Amino acid sequence: MLFRALSAALQGHLVFPHVSLSAIVQLPPALQGREREQRLRALAQNTVDCLVCDAETHAVAAIDLENGASPEWRIKSEYLAAAQLRYVRVDPAALPAPQEIRNLVLSSSEVKSR
């Protein structure tokens, strides 16, 4: 349902379901050795429910269905913030209306220009 809601509300954008953080986040090249391996493993083990990209396939936002605070949300939030990617958590029992989805996912300048 989230995929369909995002696709309908964000026409002109691409929506990809169930995406690993390792496909979204790049670790800095200076990070080496054991710490790099541990972080890569953490990225590979965590996914977001949907990734929204613009028409040129640049990531715009990562979205999770979540009705509380899962233990993984902090990890996801930290990595996505470092990647300067918006992270939106949506209650599965109360999916927002299409205009609300646009407001949540897109920055105010993108919403105004569409």
Side-chain angles (χ1 to χ4, degrees), residues 60-87:
V60 173
I63 296 95
D64 269 334
L65 281 175
E66 192 172 293
N67 59 359
S70 71
E72 296 86 19
W73 83 267
R74 283 194 176 122
I75 293 169
K76 294 177 186 182
S77 181
E78 179 183 308
Y79 280 115
L80 294 169
Q84 297 179 336
L85 186 61
R86 185 178 302 229
Y87 181 45

Side-chain angles (χ1 to χ4, degrees), residues 16-93:
F16 299 97
H18 197 72
V19 178
S20 170
L21 288 186
S22 63
I24 304 169
V25 176
Q26 300 270 332
L27 293 177
L31 191 61
Q32 295 294 316
R34 183 177 205 129
E35 186 176 353
R36 183 176 187 83
E37 288 177 27
Q38 288 175 336
R39 290 201 185 181
L40 284 171
R41 210 172 303 123
L43 288 172
Q45 292 173 350
N46 285 283
T47 62
V48 292
D49 292 319
C50 288
L51 177 68
V52 176
C53 296
D54 63 16
E56 291 82 34
T57 65
H58 298 110
V60 173
I63 296 95
D64 269 334
L65 281 175
E66 192 172 293
N67 59 359
S70 71
E72 296 86 19
W73 83 267
R74 283 194 176 122
I75 293 169
K76 294 177 186 182
S77 181
E78 179 183 308
Y79 280 115
L80 294 169
Q84 297 179 336
L85 186 61
R86 185 178 302 229
Y87 181 45
V88 179
R89 298 179 333 182
V90 177
D91 185 346

